[in-house]
mmCIF file of all heavy atoms in Angstrom:
data_model
loop_
_atom_site.group_PDB
_atom_site.id
_atom_site.type_symbol
_atom_site.label_atom_id
_atom_site.label_comp_id
_atom_site.label_asym_id
_atom_site.label_seq_id
_atom_site.Cartn_x
_atom_site.Cartn_y
_atom_site.Cartn_z
ATOM 1 N N PRO A 1 -210.131 -74.170 -0.904
ATOM 2 C CA PRO A 1 -209.853 -75.200 -1.901
ATOM 3 C C PRO A 1 -210.784 -76.398 -1.712
ATOM 4 O O PRO A 1 -211.056 -76.820 -0.595
ATOM 5 C CB PRO A 1 -208.396 -75.583 -1.637
ATOM 6 C CG PRO A 1 -208.134 -75.169 -0.240
ATOM 7 C CD PRO A 1 -209.031 -74.000 0.027
ATOM 8 N N SER A 2 -211.282 -76.912 -2.811
ATOM 9 C CA SER A 2 -212.167 -78.062 -2.811
ATOM 10 C C SER A 2 -211.361 -79.306 -3.166
ATOM 11 O O SER A 2 -210.757 -79.355 -4.240
ATOM 12 C CB SER A 2 -213.283 -77.848 -3.835
ATOM 13 O OG SER A 2 -213.867 -79.072 -4.208
ATOM 14 N N ALA A 3 -211.372 -80.298 -2.286
ATOM 15 C CA ALA A 3 -210.636 -81.535 -2.556
ATOM 16 C C ALA A 3 -211.122 -82.183 -3.844
ATOM 17 O O ALA A 3 -210.324 -82.698 -4.630
ATOM 18 C CB ALA A 3 -210.783 -82.499 -1.380
ATOM 19 N N ALA A 4 -212.430 -82.134 -4.102
ATOM 20 C CA ALA A 4 -212.990 -82.744 -5.312
ATOM 21 C C ALA A 4 -212.502 -82.017 -6.567
ATOM 22 O O ALA A 4 -212.141 -82.660 -7.565
ATOM 23 C CB ALA A 4 -214.510 -82.740 -5.255
ATOM 24 N N LEU A 5 -212.461 -80.674 -6.531
ATOM 25 C CA LEU A 5 -212.007 -79.926 -7.704
ATOM 26 C C LEU A 5 -210.508 -80.081 -7.921
ATOM 27 O O LEU A 5 -210.049 -80.187 -9.063
ATOM 28 C CB LEU A 5 -212.395 -78.456 -7.592
ATOM 29 C CG LEU A 5 -213.901 -78.166 -7.661
ATOM 30 C CD1 LEU A 5 -214.165 -76.662 -7.583
ATOM 31 C CD2 LEU A 5 -214.545 -78.775 -8.890
ATOM 32 N N VAL A 6 -209.737 -80.110 -6.836
ATOM 33 C CA VAL A 6 -208.294 -80.343 -6.966
ATOM 34 C C VAL A 6 -208.061 -81.711 -7.601
ATOM 35 O O VAL A 6 -207.236 -81.857 -8.514
ATOM 36 C CB VAL A 6 -207.581 -80.221 -5.601
ATOM 37 C CG1 VAL A 6 -206.138 -80.711 -5.691
ATOM 38 C CG2 VAL A 6 -207.629 -78.794 -5.089
ATOM 39 N N ALA A 7 -208.807 -82.718 -7.167
ATOM 40 C CA ALA A 7 -208.659 -84.070 -7.731
ATOM 41 C C ALA A 7 -208.987 -84.076 -9.226
ATOM 42 O O ALA A 7 -208.284 -84.716 -10.018
ATOM 43 C CB ALA A 7 -209.540 -85.055 -6.981
ATOM 44 N N LYS A 8 -210.039 -83.355 -9.630
ATOM 45 C CA LYS A 8 -210.397 -83.296 -11.054
ATOM 46 C C LYS A 8 -209.296 -82.629 -11.872
ATOM 47 O O LYS A 8 -208.981 -83.067 -12.979
ATOM 48 C CB LYS A 8 -211.707 -82.537 -11.245
ATOM 49 C CG LYS A 8 -212.925 -83.338 -10.875
ATOM 50 C CD LYS A 8 -214.198 -82.562 -11.152
ATOM 51 C CE LYS A 8 -215.392 -83.405 -10.765
ATOM 52 N NZ LYS A 8 -216.655 -82.778 -11.155
ATOM 53 N N LEU A 9 -208.721 -81.561 -11.321
ATOM 54 C CA LEU A 9 -207.623 -80.885 -12.016
ATOM 55 C C LEU A 9 -206.443 -81.828 -12.181
ATOM 56 O O LEU A 9 -205.899 -81.975 -13.274
ATOM 57 C CB LEU A 9 -207.214 -79.623 -11.256
ATOM 58 C CG LEU A 9 -208.199 -78.462 -11.307
ATOM 59 C CD1 LEU A 9 -207.906 -77.460 -10.200
ATOM 60 C CD2 LEU A 9 -208.186 -77.796 -12.680
ATOM 61 N N LYS A 10 -206.050 -82.465 -11.103
ATOM 62 C CA LYS A 10 -204.890 -83.352 -11.143
ATOM 63 C C LYS A 10 -205.129 -84.537 -12.074
ATOM 64 O O LYS A 10 -204.253 -84.909 -12.847
ATOM 65 C CB LYS A 10 -204.535 -83.811 -9.740
ATOM 66 C CG LYS A 10 -203.992 -82.655 -8.874
ATOM 67 C CD LYS A 10 -203.617 -83.096 -7.497
ATOM 68 C CE LYS A 10 -202.356 -83.904 -7.477
ATOM 69 N NZ LYS A 10 -201.132 -83.221 -7.928
ATOM 70 N N ASP A 11 -206.333 -85.118 -12.011
ATOM 71 C CA ASP A 11 -206.668 -86.231 -12.907
ATOM 72 C C ASP A 11 -206.611 -85.799 -14.367
ATOM 73 O O ASP A 11 -206.321 -86.609 -15.242
ATOM 74 C CB ASP A 11 -208.063 -86.784 -12.587
ATOM 75 C CG ASP A 11 -208.107 -87.553 -11.270
ATOM 76 O OD1 ASP A 11 -207.036 -87.873 -10.717
ATOM 77 O OD2 ASP A 11 -209.234 -87.814 -10.793
ATOM 78 N N GLY A 12 -206.869 -84.520 -14.627
ATOM 79 C CA GLY A 12 -206.835 -83.992 -15.973
ATOM 80 C C GLY A 12 -205.472 -83.486 -16.407
ATOM 81 O O GLY A 12 -205.335 -82.907 -17.496
ATOM 82 N N GLY A 13 -204.458 -83.645 -15.570
ATOM 83 C CA GLY A 13 -203.108 -83.241 -15.929
ATOM 84 C C GLY A 13 -202.793 -81.772 -15.709
ATOM 85 O O GLY A 13 -201.785 -81.274 -16.206
ATOM 86 N N VAL A 14 -203.644 -81.071 -14.956
ATOM 87 C CA VAL A 14 -203.424 -79.650 -14.671
ATOM 88 C C VAL A 14 -202.651 -79.530 -13.358
ATOM 89 O O VAL A 14 -203.038 -80.136 -12.355
ATOM 90 C CB VAL A 14 -204.770 -78.890 -14.563
ATOM 91 C CG1 VAL A 14 -204.534 -77.413 -14.271
ATOM 92 C CG2 VAL A 14 -205.592 -79.071 -15.834
ATOM 93 N N LEU A 15 -201.570 -78.771 -13.364
ATOM 94 C CA LEU A 15 -200.819 -78.531 -12.133
ATOM 95 C C LEU A 15 -201.613 -77.591 -11.233
ATOM 96 O O LEU A 15 -202.170 -76.593 -11.703
ATOM 97 C CB LEU A 15 -199.458 -77.904 -12.439
ATOM 98 C CG LEU A 15 -198.457 -78.781 -13.180
ATOM 99 C CD1 LEU A 15 -197.227 -77.968 -13.561
ATOM 100 C CD2 LEU A 15 -198.071 -79.986 -12.336
ATOM 101 N N CYS A 16 -201.646 -77.888 -9.948
ATOM 102 C CA CYS A 16 -202.389 -77.085 -8.964
ATOM 103 C C CYS A 16 -201.418 -76.192 -8.203
ATOM 104 O O CYS A 16 -200.477 -76.683 -7.576
ATOM 105 C CB CYS A 16 -203.139 -77.994 -8.005
ATOM 106 S SG CYS A 16 -204.441 -78.940 -8.826
ATOM 107 N N MET A 17 -201.657 -74.861 -8.259
ATOM 108 C CA MET A 17 -200.764 -73.881 -7.661
ATOM 109 C C MET A 17 -201.571 -72.859 -6.853
ATOM 110 O O MET A 17 -201.827 -71.753 -7.318
ATOM 111 C CB MET A 17 -199.944 -73.184 -8.749
ATOM 112 C CG MET A 17 -198.877 -72.254 -8.198
ATOM 113 S SD MET A 17 -197.854 -71.508 -9.500
ATOM 114 C CE MET A 17 -198.989 -70.285 -10.142
ATOM 115 N N PRO A 18 -201.987 -73.219 -5.643
ATOM 116 C CA PRO A 18 -202.743 -72.263 -4.832
ATOM 117 C C PRO A 18 -201.841 -71.195 -4.219
ATOM 118 O O PRO A 18 -200.639 -71.392 -4.060
ATOM 119 C CB PRO A 18 -203.351 -73.134 -3.734
ATOM 120 C CG PRO A 18 -202.395 -74.263 -3.593
ATOM 121 C CD PRO A 18 -201.855 -74.518 -4.975
ATOM 122 N N THR A 19 -202.459 -70.073 -3.872
ATOM 123 C CA THR A 19 -201.789 -69.011 -3.135
ATOM 124 C C THR A 19 -202.135 -69.175 -1.667
ATOM 125 O O THR A 19 -203.302 -69.371 -1.319
ATOM 126 C CB THR A 19 -202.254 -67.631 -3.636
ATOM 127 O OG1 THR A 19 -201.882 -67.513 -5.008
ATOM 128 C CG2 THR A 19 -201.622 -66.502 -2.844
ATOM 129 N N VAL A 20 -201.122 -69.091 -0.805
ATOM 130 C CA VAL A 20 -201.328 -69.260 0.629
ATOM 131 C C VAL A 20 -200.720 -68.084 1.385
ATOM 132 O O VAL A 20 -199.774 -67.459 0.912
ATOM 133 C CB VAL A 20 -200.733 -70.592 1.136
ATOM 134 C CG1 VAL A 20 -201.404 -71.779 0.456
ATOM 135 C CG2 VAL A 20 -199.227 -70.650 0.920
ATOM 136 N N GLY A 21 -201.274 -67.813 2.557
ATOM 137 C CA GLY A 21 -200.793 -66.714 3.375
ATOM 138 C C GLY A 21 -200.452 -67.110 4.794
ATOM 139 O O GLY A 21 -200.244 -66.255 5.653
ATOM 140 N N ALA A 22 -200.398 -68.414 5.041
ATOM 141 C CA ALA A 22 -200.053 -68.920 6.370
ATOM 142 C C ALA A 22 -199.507 -70.332 6.216
ATOM 143 O O ALA A 22 -199.844 -71.036 5.254
ATOM 144 C CB ALA A 22 -201.281 -68.928 7.280
ATOM 145 N N VAL A 23 -198.698 -70.757 7.166
ATOM 146 C CA VAL A 23 -198.135 -72.105 7.129
ATOM 147 C C VAL A 23 -199.253 -73.145 7.143
ATOM 148 O O VAL A 23 -199.206 -74.127 6.393
ATOM 149 C CB VAL A 23 -197.146 -72.325 8.293
ATOM 150 C CG1 VAL A 23 -196.699 -73.778 8.369
ATOM 151 C CG2 VAL A 23 -195.939 -71.409 8.145
ATOM 152 N N ALA A 24 -200.284 -72.937 7.948
ATOM 153 C CA ALA A 24 -201.401 -73.888 8.012
ATOM 154 C C ALA A 24 -202.090 -74.016 6.657
ATOM 155 O O ALA A 24 -202.489 -75.118 6.259
ATOM 156 C CB ALA A 24 -202.403 -73.456 9.074
ATOM 157 N N HIS A 25 -202.224 -72.908 5.935
ATOM 158 C CA HIS A 25 -202.830 -72.953 4.597
ATOM 159 C C HIS A 25 -201.938 -73.758 3.647
ATOM 160 O O HIS A 25 -202.441 -74.512 2.805
ATOM 161 C CB HIS A 25 -203.023 -71.559 4.025
ATOM 162 C CG HIS A 25 -203.869 -70.672 4.858
ATOM 163 N ND1 HIS A 25 -203.809 -69.307 4.772
ATOM 164 C CD2 HIS A 25 -204.803 -70.941 5.813
ATOM 165 C CE1 HIS A 25 -204.651 -68.771 5.626
ATOM 166 N NE2 HIS A 25 -205.260 -69.737 6.268
ATOM 167 N N ALA A 26 -200.634 -73.582 3.772
ATOM 168 C CA ALA A 26 -199.693 -74.283 2.900
ATOM 169 C C ALA A 26 -199.752 -75.787 3.121
ATOM 170 O O ALA A 26 -199.830 -76.559 2.155
ATOM 171 C CB ALA A 26 -198.269 -73.764 3.137
ATOM 172 N N THR A 27 -199.715 -76.215 4.364
ATOM 173 C CA THR A 27 -199.732 -77.656 4.634
ATOM 174 C C THR A 27 -201.067 -78.276 4.218
ATOM 175 O O THR A 27 -201.098 -79.391 3.704
ATOM 176 C CB THR A 27 -199.415 -77.956 6.108
ATOM 177 O OG1 THR A 27 -200.333 -77.258 6.955
ATOM 178 C CG2 THR A 27 -197.990 -77.543 6.454
ATOM 179 N N LYS A 28 -202.170 -77.550 4.400
ATOM 180 C CA LYS A 28 -203.468 -78.054 3.956
ATOM 181 C C LYS A 28 -203.511 -78.165 2.438
ATOM 182 O O LYS A 28 -203.982 -79.168 1.891
ATOM 183 C CB LYS A 28 -204.600 -77.144 4.434
ATOM 184 C CG LYS A 28 -205.969 -77.600 3.954
ATOM 185 C CD LYS A 28 -207.078 -76.674 4.402
ATOM 186 C CE LYS A 28 -208.427 -77.142 3.866
ATOM 187 N NZ LYS A 28 -209.510 -76.230 4.250
ATOM 188 N N ALA A 29 -203.010 -77.146 1.740
ATOM 189 C CA ALA A 29 -203.014 -77.159 0.276
ATOM 190 C C ALA A 29 -202.214 -78.341 -0.263
ATOM 191 O O ALA A 29 -202.643 -79.012 -1.205
ATOM 192 C CB ALA A 29 -202.468 -75.841 -0.262
ATOM 193 N N VAL A 30 -201.064 -78.605 0.324
ATOM 194 C CA VAL A 30 -200.236 -79.727 -0.114
ATOM 195 C C VAL A 30 -200.944 -81.046 0.186
ATOM 196 O O VAL A 30 -200.948 -81.962 -0.641
ATOM 197 C CB VAL A 30 -198.832 -79.657 0.519
ATOM 198 C CG1 VAL A 30 -198.047 -80.926 0.245
ATOM 199 C CG2 VAL A 30 -198.082 -78.436 -0.014
ATOM 200 N N ALA A 31 -201.583 -81.143 1.341
ATOM 201 C CA ALA A 31 -202.320 -82.359 1.685
ATOM 202 C C ALA A 31 -203.455 -82.618 0.690
ATOM 203 O O ALA A 31 -203.785 -83.772 0.397
ATOM 204 C CB ALA A 31 -202.880 -82.257 3.106
ATOM 205 N N LEU A 32 -204.028 -81.551 0.142
ATOM 206 C CA LEU A 32 -205.098 -81.685 -0.849
ATOM 207 C C LEU A 32 -204.560 -81.961 -2.253
ATOM 208 O O LEU A 32 -205.335 -82.243 -3.158
ATOM 209 C CB LEU A 32 -205.964 -80.425 -0.876
ATOM 210 C CG LEU A 32 -206.882 -80.221 0.319
ATOM 211 C CD1 LEU A 32 -207.567 -78.859 0.237
ATOM 212 C CD2 LEU A 32 -207.913 -81.334 0.416
ATOM 213 N N GLY A 33 -203.239 -81.832 -2.444
ATOM 214 C CA GLY A 33 -202.660 -82.175 -3.733
ATOM 215 C C GLY A 33 -201.953 -81.070 -4.483
ATOM 216 O O GLY A 33 -201.618 -81.246 -5.662
ATOM 217 N N ALA A 34 -201.701 -79.940 -3.857
ATOM 218 C CA ALA A 34 -201.000 -78.853 -4.553
ATOM 219 C C ALA A 34 -199.646 -79.329 -5.066
ATOM 220 O O ALA A 34 -198.909 -80.004 -4.353
ATOM 221 C CB ALA A 34 -200.817 -77.656 -3.626
ATOM 222 N N ASP A 35 -199.342 -78.955 -6.303
ATOM 223 C CA ASP A 35 -198.058 -79.302 -6.916
ATOM 224 C C ASP A 35 -197.010 -78.241 -6.673
ATOM 225 O O ASP A 35 -195.812 -78.525 -6.673
ATOM 226 C CB ASP A 35 -198.241 -79.465 -8.427
ATOM 227 C CG ASP A 35 -199.234 -80.553 -8.763
ATOM 228 O OD1 ASP A 35 -198.912 -81.724 -8.508
ATOM 229 O OD2 ASP A 35 -200.330 -80.229 -9.263
ATOM 230 N N LEU A 36 -197.444 -76.998 -6.533
ATOM 231 C CA LEU A 36 -196.606 -75.824 -6.313
ATOM 232 C C LEU A 36 -197.402 -74.909 -5.395
ATOM 233 O O LEU A 36 -198.626 -75.011 -5.337
ATOM 234 C CB LEU A 36 -196.356 -75.075 -7.628
ATOM 235 C CG LEU A 36 -195.892 -75.864 -8.840
ATOM 236 C CD1 LEU A 36 -196.515 -75.310 -10.107
ATOM 237 C CD2 LEU A 36 -194.390 -75.774 -8.938
#
């Protein structure tokens, strides 16, 4: 996941929903702005 691309999505009103396969991936995704 790219922090810059996640920010552009969020600024544009798009919900960010990454797929994760580990707890570390989940916490990183949320820190970057994942909504779901």
Side-chain angles (χ1 to χ4, degrees):
S2 159
L5 293 182
V6 170
K8 284 183 180 187
L9 289 162
K10 291 181 73 63
D11 289 347
V14 180
L15 293 173
C16 294
M17 186 177 76
T19 298
V20 299
V23 172
H25 302 158
T27 56
K28 178 181 178 182
V30 171
L32 288 174
D35 300 292
L36 311 143

